[in-house]
Structure formats: structure tokens, C-alpha cells
Amino acid sequence: MLDFSNFELYKNNSTDNGLHTTYQYKYALPFEKVEDPAQFTLFLQRNWHHSITVSVVYFSIIKLIQWLMKDREAFHLKKTLFCWNLALAIYSIIGLVRFSEDFFHSLYTFGFFKTLCYSCHPNDVAAFWSLIFAISKIVELGDTLFIVLRKKPLIFLHYYHHAVVLVYTTHSGAEHTAAGRWFIWMNFLAHSFMYTYYAIVASGHKPPRYVSVCVTTVQTTQMLVGVCLSILVFHYKTMDLPCQQSFENLYLAFIIYVTFAFLFIRFFVNAYIRSPRKQRVKHE
């Protein structure tokens, strides 16, 4: 874990000593900055475990609402749901566009290894979007409220994904996990597709079936890539190459991405392979 007690020293270090890339955006919007990255990082390092508390409270509230809704009529919430998904789609697309500048510039300039093992500049635009990304994981817990208030089926994958991503994102933020550059970019990409699709469905339109297949494929691919990246980081660290990711965070990432990959693959099979088969059997 990085020690940010002397941030000025860290900020002025060379790339190799600081384990962060040196790219800074040529143009930044006035709000695209973290006012005090040292204090924010120290706050996360001291309090990241409260993300587990938030996840437990989140799960408890969801179960309580399900119990309260058991004998009540479902809420419709169509307009609210549309606005919610549209807002998250716009946010994800903007985040993808802004974060991609650092991602692709670093990949082209510094190469694959440093994009995976050297974190983004701690006091620039990419760091701001990393912070907003972490905060958005709390906001996205609201997705589940729409499911339980509308009395739609709530699968394990849904709330497990929301809770675990919140915990891992907070832990990674506390450590400035370098592989987070890849994880954040992939998540922005997947959520740009996902929330846009949800917004279209909430508006009353029904996209062709292949669209939902593509969205789930993007999500599943993200998890499989996450597993591969974690294996690569483990390989680099066992070769004593400098890599800004602790073994604790790495093991957590591997466990999470393996379970996500398994659950998304199972969901894909059940939703798009077995279900159509069952429907064909019924009609025969």
C-alpha cells in the first residue's frame, strides 16, 4: 500500500520510484481535479473497511423492502427508471471518453506492462474520474431498489455484484491499485452499453434479442479479461517486477473476477441457450 504521508515527495518522484505514469491531460475541465489527493487517499486507507458495512446494510435494506412489499402492489416507476438509467448511461459514456485519454495514451506511450503495474497520475483528470467511479459504486446500489419496488425477480448475481464491486473498488482506491486503470476503463465501457440498453427498455421499446446478448457478452468478457489480468499481475510480482498492487488486493481481484465470470457465464447459458430451447420444446 502506498504511504501518502508525504504526498509532495511522491508527486515529484520519477515514474519508476512513484509507480505511477506521468501523463497529464492537455485540457481539463475546471472540476476535473482532486483538491487534496493525499488526504483522500489516507481517508480511504483508514476507512475502506466501512464499504463492507455499507454492503451489509444495503443487503439488509433490500431484504427488508422485499418483506414489506410481499403483500403490496408493485410500483410502476417507468419514468423514474428511464431517467435513472439514462443518467447513468450518460455518466458512463462521459467517464469512458474522459478516462480513455489516459488509458490509450499510457498504453501507446508506456506500453502494456506500465498500464497494468503503474497507476495513473495521482493529481490529474484520470485520478478525478477514478474517484467519481468509486463514488458511483454507492450510487449504483439504487439499481436494486427499482427491482424490489417493482417486484421483479432479484437474482444473486445482481446484489452480489453490486456489493462486492463496492468493497473492491474502495480497497483498490486506498492502494492506488495500478490494474484499476484497466478495471475502470472496462467497467465504463460495459456500463455505457448496459445502462443505454436499460434506458431504451425502460422507455417502452424492445430492442432485438441480439442486443441483450451483446450486452451480456460485453459484461462476461470484462470478467474473463479481469481474470487474465490478475494472473498476469501475479506473474509479474513473482518475477519481482515493480507492480503497484498488493498481494491482498490481487487475491481479492482474482476471487471476485473468477466468481463473476462463472456467474455471468451461467446467466448467459440460462438466459440465451437453455431458455430458448425450453420455449421451442413447449411449442413443439
Side-chain angles (χ1 to χ4, degrees):
M1 184 180 291
L2 287 176
D3 179 8
F4 271 67
S5 56
N6 190 344
F7 179 72
E8 289 301 318
L9 176 62
Y10 172 80
K11 185 170 69 173
N12 295 324
N13 275 345
S14 67
T15 302
D16 289 335
N17 292 330
L19 285 184
H20 69 274
T21 53
T22 55
Y23 176 68
Q24 291 186 280
Y25 285 54
K26 293 180 180 178
Y27 177 77
L29 297 170
F31 60 84
E32 288 183 316
K33 59 182 178 180
V34 182
E35 292 293 342
D36 194 344
Q39 288 302 314
F40 181 76
T41 301
L42 289 171
F43 174 81
L44 283 180
Q45 290 178 353
R46 292 166 183 156
N47 298 284
W48 75 266
H49 58 280
H50 288 307
S51 61
I52 300 174
T53 306
V54 173
S55 296
V56 172
V57 172
Y58 153 75
F59 179 77
S60 302
I61 291 175
I62 291 306
K63 289 302 177 183
L64 175 61
I65 295 175
Q66 282 186 314
W67 179 75
L68 292 173
M69 290 295 297
K70 188 168 61 172
D71 299 318
R72 296 171 181 262
E73 288 188 10
F75 292 91
H76 295 293
L77 303 174
K78 286 185 177 180
K79 290 183 179 179
T80 308
L81 181 61
F82 169 73
C83 293
W84 174 266
N85 287 316
L86 180 63
L88 287 174
I90 293 172
Y91 152 73
S92 299
I93 293 169
I94 294 174
L96 175 65
V97 171
R98 293 302 286 152
F99 199 78
S100 289
E101 182 175 337
D102 172 84
F103 180 81
F104 286 111
H105 182 277
S106 298
L107 190 61
Y108 177 78
T109 306
F110 304 117
F112 174 76
F113 171 74
K114 284 193 175 181
T115 62
L116 190 59
C117 286
Y118 285 60
S119 62
C120 62
H121 195 289
N123 195 24
D124 201 49
V125 174
F128 168 81
W129 283 101
S130 298
L131 169 59
I132 297 300
F133 176 84
I135 295 172
S136 73
K137 297 303 123 183
I138 298 177
V139 176
E140 288 171 7
L141 296 179
D143 289 350
T144 319
L145 285 175
F146 287 98
I147 294 176
V148 294
L149 290 176
R150 296 168 69 229
K151 299 185 76 169
K152 299 295 183 181
L154 178 62
I155 60 175
F156 172 76
L157 172 59
H158 177 90
Y159 57 79
Y160 172 74
H161 176 267
H162 276 299
V164 171
V165 167
L166 172 60
V167 174
Y168 181 69
T169 300
T170 310
H171 187 270
S172 297
E175 296 199 351
H176 282 219
T177 298
R181 174 187 276 113
W182 281 83
F183 301 155
I184 291 172
W185 184 83
M186 289 193 298
N187 198 259
F188 272 138
L189 177 65
H191 280 202
S192 295
F193 286 107
M194 185 184 78
Y195 283 114
T196 300
Y197 171 76
Y198 288 163
I200 293 171
V201 173
S203 70
H205 296 83
K206 189 175 181 180
R209 185 170 175 274
Y210 71 82
V211 176
S212 61
V213 173
C214 289
V215 171
T216 307
T217 300
V218 170
Q219 292 173 305
T220 306
T221 302
Q222 174 192 356
M223 307 313 168
L224 293 172
V225 172
V227 174
C228 295
L229 293 177
S230 298
I231 293 173
L232 272 175
V233 172
F234 180 81
H235 173 67
Y236 292 147
K237 289 181 74 68
T238 53
M239 292 177 65
D240 291 327
L241 293 173
C243 206
Q244 180 53 37
Q245 186 172 8
S246 68
F247 275 108
E248 291 82 2
N249 186 272
L250 178 58
Y251 296 149
L252 186 59
F254 184 76
I255 292 170
I256 289 171
Y257 274 108
V258 166
T259 54
F260 281 170
F262 170 76
L263 290 171
F264 271 97
I265 290 172
R266 189 177 68 171
F267 174 81
F268 187 95
V269 171
N270 290 336
Y272 305 119
I273 299 177
R274 287 181 179 173
S275 292
R277 229 179 250 170
K278 288 180 181 178
Q279 290 176 3
R280 285 198 299 269
V281 171
K282 286 181 181 179
H283 291 297
E284 286 177 357

